[in-house]
Amino acid sequence: MQYLDDFSVGDRASFGRYEVTREEVLDFARKYDPQPFHLSDEAAAETHFGRLAASGWHTCSMIMAMLVEHMKAHPQASLGAVGIDQLRWIRPVHPGDILRCETEILEVRPSQSRPEMGSLRSQMTAFNQKNEPVAQYVAIVLMRRRPQA
Protein backbone atom coordinates (compact mmCIF):
# COMPACT_ATOMS: atom_id res chain seq x y z
CA MET A 1 0.00 0.00 0.00
CA GLN A 2 1.33 3.42 -0.95
CA TYR A 3 0.59 6.28 1.43
CA LEU A 4 1.03 10.03 1.02
CA ASP A 5 4.41 9.74 2.76
CA ASP A 6 5.68 7.39 0.02
CA PHE A 7 5.42 10.04 -2.72
CA SER A 8 7.87 12.81 -3.58
CA VAL A 9 7.71 15.73 -5.98
CA GLY A 10 9.04 14.56 -9.35
CA ASP A 11 8.00 10.91 -8.96
CA ARG A 12 6.78 9.54 -12.28
CA ALA A 13 4.78 6.52 -13.39
CA SER A 14 3.88 5.18 -16.83
CA PHE A 15 1.03 2.74 -17.25
CA GLY A 16 -1.98 1.59 -19.18
CA ARG A 17 -2.96 0.43 -22.60
CA TYR A 18 -6.38 1.26 -23.99
CA GLU A 19 -7.51 0.42 -27.51
CA VAL A 20 -10.15 2.88 -28.69
CA THR A 21 -12.93 1.22 -30.68
CA ARG A 22 -15.39 2.79 -33.07
CA GLU A 23 -18.32 1.15 -31.27
CA GLU A 24 -17.28 2.61 -27.94
CA VAL A 25 -16.79 6.10 -29.40
CA LEU A 26 -20.28 5.98 -30.91
CA ASP A 27 -21.90 4.50 -27.78
CA PHE A 28 -20.37 7.14 -25.50
CA ALA A 29 -21.30 9.95 -27.88
CA ARG A 30 -24.91 8.77 -28.22
CA LYS A 31 -25.30 8.70 -24.44
CA TYR A 32 -23.26 11.67 -23.25
CA ASP A 33 -21.96 13.97 -26.02
CA PRO A 34 -24.13 13.64 -29.14
CA GLN A 35 -22.35 16.21 -31.28
CA PRO A 36 -22.20 15.35 -34.99
CA PHE A 37 -18.38 14.94 -35.17
CA HIS A 38 -18.60 12.27 -32.45
CA LEU A 39 -21.40 10.42 -34.27
CA SER A 40 -20.73 10.61 -37.99
CA ASP A 41 -17.73 10.19 -40.29
CA GLU A 42 -19.30 12.64 -42.74
CA ALA A 43 -19.89 15.33 -40.13
CA ALA A 44 -16.41 14.86 -38.64
CA ALA A 45 -14.84 15.15 -42.12
CA GLU A 46 -16.23 18.69 -42.33
CA THR A 47 -14.39 19.75 -39.14
CA HIS A 48 -10.79 20.07 -38.02
CA PHE A 49 -11.08 16.50 -36.67
CA GLY A 50 -11.09 15.15 -40.22
CA ARG A 51 -12.68 11.89 -39.13
CA LEU A 52 -14.73 10.43 -36.29
CA ALA A 53 -13.33 11.63 -32.96
CA ALA A 54 -13.97 10.55 -29.38
CA SER A 55 -15.51 13.05 -27.00
CA GLY A 56 -12.98 14.68 -24.69
CA TRP A 57 -15.11 13.42 -21.82
CA HIS A 58 -14.79 9.92 -23.23
CA THR A 59 -11.01 10.40 -23.36
CA CYS A 60 -11.10 11.33 -19.66
CA SER A 61 -13.14 8.20 -18.95
CA MET A 62 -10.60 6.02 -20.76
CA ILE A 63 -7.81 7.65 -18.73
CA MET A 64 -9.75 6.91 -15.54
CA ALA A 65 -10.18 3.25 -16.56
CA MET A 66 -6.41 2.94 -17.03
CA LEU A 67 -5.77 4.70 -13.71
CA VAL A 68 -8.08 2.34 -11.81
CA GLU A 69 -6.33 -0.69 -13.33
CA HIS A 70 -2.97 0.80 -12.31
CA MET A 71 -4.23 1.37 -8.75
CA LYS A 72 -5.42 -2.25 -8.55
CA ALA A 73 -1.87 -3.40 -9.33
CA HIS A 74 -0.29 -0.72 -7.09
CA PRO A 75 -2.70 -0.11 -4.19
CA GLN A 76 -2.80 3.40 -2.79
CA ALA A 77 -4.35 4.81 0.35
CA SER A 78 -6.47 7.17 -1.73
CA LEU A 79 -9.43 8.92 -0.20
CA GLY A 80 -10.69 10.15 -3.56
CA ALA A 81 -10.07 13.20 -5.67
CA VAL A 82 -11.28 16.70 -4.89
CA GLY A 83 -11.01 17.84 -8.47
CA ILE A 84 -8.93 18.50 -11.52
CA ASP A 85 -7.35 21.65 -12.86
CA GLN A 86 -6.02 22.70 -16.23
CA LEU A 87 -7.83 20.06 -18.30
CA ARG A 88 -6.75 20.19 -21.93
CA TRP A 89 -7.74 18.03 -24.87
CA ILE A 90 -4.59 18.44 -26.92
CA ARG A 91 -5.29 16.18 -29.92
CA PRO A 92 -8.32 14.29 -31.08
CA VAL A 93 -8.63 10.64 -30.15
CA HIS A 94 -9.84 8.42 -32.99
CA PRO A 95 -11.05 4.85 -33.25
CA GLY A 96 -7.98 2.65 -33.63
CA ASP A 97 -5.81 4.79 -31.35
CA ILE A 98 -4.03 3.07 -28.48
CA LEU A 99 -3.71 5.20 -25.38
CA ARG A 100 -1.36 5.09 -22.40
CA CYS A 101 -0.73 7.36 -19.40
CA GLU A 102 2.08 9.08 -17.56
CA THR A 103 1.86 10.88 -14.23
CA GLU A 104 4.23 13.19 -12.41
CA ILE A 105 3.86 14.27 -8.79
CA LEU A 106 3.80 18.08 -8.56
CA GLU A 107 3.07 18.58 -4.86
CA VAL A 108 2.83 16.50 -1.68
CA ARG A 109 1.11 18.34 1.17
CA PRO A 110 0.30 16.89 4.61
CA SER A 111 -2.88 18.37 6.05
CA GLN A 112 -2.42 20.98 8.80
CA SER A 113 -5.77 20.20 10.41
CA ARG A 114 -6.02 16.42 9.83
CA PRO A 115 -2.64 14.78 10.48
CA GLU A 116 -3.85 11.38 9.26
CA MET A 117 -4.18 12.62 5.69
CA GLY A 118 -2.93 15.04 3.06
CA SER A 119 -3.14 15.83 -0.62
CA LEU A 120 -1.20 15.10 -3.79
CA ARG A 121 -1.21 17.16 -6.95
CA SER A 122 -0.16 15.22 -10.01
CA GLN A 123 -0.09 15.91 -13.70
CA MET A 124 -1.70 13.24 -15.84
CA THR A 125 -0.87 13.05 -19.53
CA ALA A 126 -2.40 10.57 -21.97
CA PHE A 127 -0.54 9.69 -25.15
CA ASN A 128 -1.55 7.93 -28.35
CA GLN A 129 0.41 5.19 -30.13
CA LYS A 130 2.59 7.84 -31.81
CA ASN A 131 3.65 9.16 -28.37
CA GLU A 132 1.70 12.34 -29.04
CA PRO A 133 -0.06 13.83 -26.01
CA VAL A 134 -3.84 13.75 -26.43
CA ALA A 135 -5.04 15.00 -23.04
CA GLN A 136 -3.57 16.47 -19.87
CA TYR A 137 -4.81 17.63 -16.47
CA VAL A 138 -3.69 18.20 -12.90
CA ALA A 139 -5.44 15.98 -10.36
CA ILE A 140 -5.81 16.84 -6.67
CA VAL A 141 -6.16 13.65 -4.61
CA LEU A 142 -6.64 13.14 -0.88
CA MET A 143 -4.54 10.35 0.63
CA ARG A 144 -4.04 8.71 4.01
CA ARG A 145 -0.69 9.13 5.69
CA ARG A 146 1.28 6.09 6.81
CA PRO A 147 -0.04 4.88 10.19
CA GLN A 148 2.37 5.47 13.04
CA ALA A 149 3.59 2.37 14.89
Side-chain angles (χ1 to χ4, degrees), residues 98-140:
I98 300 171
L99 305 181
R100 66 178 182 82
C101 296
E102 291 183 7
T103 61
E104 180 181 359
I105 303 298
L106 304 175
E107 180 182 55
V108 179
R109 185 172 25 177
S111 173
Q112 297 297 312
S113 60
R114 303 211 33 208
E116 74 279 6
M117 64 187 287
S119 63
L120 278 181
R121 285 181 63 247
S122 64
Q123 181 172 278
M124 171 70 76
T125 307
F127 296 87
N128 63 22
Q129 69 280 359
K130 298 175 188 174
N131 287 324
E132 299 168 328
V134 298
Q136 187 174 69
Y137 60 82
V138 174
I140 305 100

Side-chain angles (χ1 to χ4, degrees), residues 7-99:
F7 292 92
S8 298
V9 171
D11 287 352
R12 293 175 174 265
S14 297
F15 57 88
R17 185 176 195 285
Y18 198 103
E19 295 186 33
V20 182
T21 68
R22 178 180 179 78
E23 297 75 29
E24 189 176 19
V25 168
L26 293 170
D27 286 345
F28 188 98
R30 283 185 201 110
K31 291 178 187 175
Y32 305 110
D33 193 353
Q35 297 183 75
F37 43 82
H38 298 318
L39 293 168
S40 159
D41 293 305
E42 295 75 24
E46 295 177 13
T47 70
H48 67 284
F49 294 119
R51 58 189 174 108
L52 190 68
S55 165
W57 299 112
H58 185 194
T59 300
C60 288
S61 296
M62 292 182 272
I63 292 168
M64 190 68 206
M66 288 184 279
L67 179 59
V68 168
E69 287 304 309
H70 178 70
M71 291 186 332
K72 285 179 185 176
H74 304 90
Q76 298 177 3
S78 173
L79 297 169
V82 297
I84 61 171
D85 291 332
Q86 302 168 13
L87 172 60
R88 296 289 179 264
W89 295 305
I90 302 164
R91 281 185 179 77
V93 171
H94 300 287
D97 281 350
I98 300 171
L99 305 181

